[in-house]
Amino acid sequence: MTVRIGVIAPGNRLDTSTAEKVKAVAADHAGGQVEILFHDQCFLSSGHFAGDDDTRAAALLDHANDPAVDAIWFARGGYGAGRLLTRILPKLTDAARDKAWLGYSDAGFILAALMGAGF
């Protein structure tokens, strides 16, 4: 079984070379059992964010509500993550509840809200 991890950037953008390095590490250490799916939004730029608020929220919902994705991983930190909560929380489906959620820094704001909502 392959675990599919959807990566989105709720705050700062991610460099494509970093994404390629992450994929290489996963390939070397997971023996094909992990597939890392970087949303195109991770590489956008709007000021210092990875796209505007609506774009970042839509990317999160794309991966979160996709039943074929097993986990959500927040790339990077950044205070912009906290600005997404009201856009995403009411639109998360049951598929989002079945996932593991991973992140750090300001994305912890989203993780705490998800935990409080029973995720």
Side-chain angles (χ1 to χ4, degrees):
M1 179 181 148
T2 300
V3 175
R4 300 180 80 219
I5 301 171
V7 181
I8 64 100
N12 295 331
R13 69 179 301 278
L14 188 66
D15 189 85
T16 55
S17 65
T18 301
E20 293 307 316
K21 289 175 187 174
V22 169
K23 285 182 180 182
V25 168
D28 287 346
H29 295 282
Q33 295 180 335
V34 173
E35 181 181 2
I36 301 181
L37 310 165
F38 286 91
H39 197 286
D40 290 340
Q41 166 275 327
C42 291
F43 313 110
L44 297 178
S45 182
S46 178
H48 65 278
F49 296 125
D52 62 28
D53 291 355
D54 288 335
T55 300
R56 295 190 327 276
L60 193 156
L61 291 168
D62 282 349
H63 277 327
N65 291 334
D66 182 347
V69 174
D70 301 301
I72 300 298
W73 185 6
F74 295 136
R76 313 258 340 243
Y79 81 90
R83 295 168 27 175
L84 304 184
L85 189 59
T86 58
R87 287 174 167 83
I88 63 160
L89 201 54
K91 296 178 182 176
L92 292 169
T93 66
D94 287 340
R97 290 185 177 277
D98 293 336
K99 294 179 184 359
W101 293 77
L102 309 127
Y104 69 100
S105 185
D106 289 21
F109 181 86
I110 294 173
L111 296 175
L114 292 173
M115 182 180 218
F119 283 68

